[in-house]
Amino acid sequence: MTIWDDAMSIALAAARAAAEHGDVPVGAVVLDPAGNSLATGANERELTADPTAHAEIVALRRAAAKLGTWRLDNCTLVVTLEPCAMCAGAAVASRVTRIVYGALDPKAGAIASLFDVVRDRRLNHRPEVTGGVRAKECGKLLTEFFGKLSGGDVSEWPMEPASKAGVGQPTEGSNPSVTAKGPEQEPA
């Protein structure tokens, strides 16, 4: 049990609601500086036909509207799935102090799996990151959802990030926690 379990329960409830309307079950909650729920969001891309309606974006927009400012200083974003590049960028732009996520996203994760957008030292804001909170539970929602879509058995959601080596990865020196060593390539 972690201090983030209650907040992740709120995000998981939002994720379940997303699945009910045909969206990928990802949920998010923004906590105010005291740790109280400020705003929630769930994936709404299918529901609203909006390609940017990821759970994190929805929650960040609602939190900003509630506070009357785009700056979410000292707030925490809690999300069931590792944020993609768009959502990681939005978290940085909103100035959240911390990002807490559940399951890794091996296909689009931009904090640990594919990239590390939020801790790039070239950025003017770098939130703290806590990953893996209730990861199995968050991953199970996704596995079940995609299993129903495919009509078959889907393997368990991955709990380890894919290798960071290869084309399209952060370059050495862009992030102190990432060393890119891709395959040798011949000159074009």
Side-chain angles (χ1 to χ4, degrees):
M1 186 162 193
T2 73
I3 61 170
W4 305 114
D5 282 349
D6 289 342
M8 190 60 78
S9 290
I10 297 168
L12 281 161
R16 288 183 190 97
E20 289 176 15
H21 54 72
D23 271 290
V24 175
V26 178
V29 59
V30 176
L31 305 177
D32 69 15
N36 301 311
S37 175
L38 183 60
T40 61
N43 272 359
E44 297 180 356
R45 293 189 316 167
E46 299 297 331
L47 182 68
T48 62
D50 178 355
T52 68
H54 289 202
E56 301 94 313
I57 301 292
V58 173
L60 291 169
R61 285 178 179 161
R62 289 176 179 164
K66 192 167 187 180
L67 292 177
T69 179
W70 63 268
R71 297 183 75 95
L72 301 179
D73 296 316
N74 299 310
C75 290
T76 299
L77 173 64
V78 179
V79 60
T80 58
L81 182 65
E82 176 188 0
C84 69
M86 175 181 69
C87 295
V92 170
S94 72
R95 305 298 195 268
V96 295
T97 300
R98 182 177 304 100
I99 300 169
V100 177
Y101 67 89
L104 290 165
D105 185 348
K107 293 186 178 183
I111 292 181
S113 295
L114 298 179
F115 307 102
D116 189 352
V117 170
V118 302
R119 292 175 288 211
D120 189 313
R121 66 179 175 213
R122 297 170 294 180
L123 297 175
N124 62 342
H125 178 73
R126 292 179 299 280
E128 296 173 25
V129 174
T130 301
V133 175
R134 295 173 68 175
K136 286 190 182 220
E137 187 176 356
C138 295
K140 184 177 180 188
L141 269 180
L142 293 159
T143 301
E144 289 173 354
F145 178 80
F146 288 114
K148 286 178 186 173
L149 277 183
S150 68
D153 191 29
V154 177
S155 61
E156 186 175 308
W157 199 260
M159 293 295 133
E160 296 293 325
S163 170
K164 290 188 177 180
V167 179
Q169 302 305 313
T171 57
E172 192 165 321
S174 69
N175 186 318
S177 67
V178 175
T179 302
K181 293 192 190 288
E184 294 296 321
Q185 296 184 2
E186 294 182 28

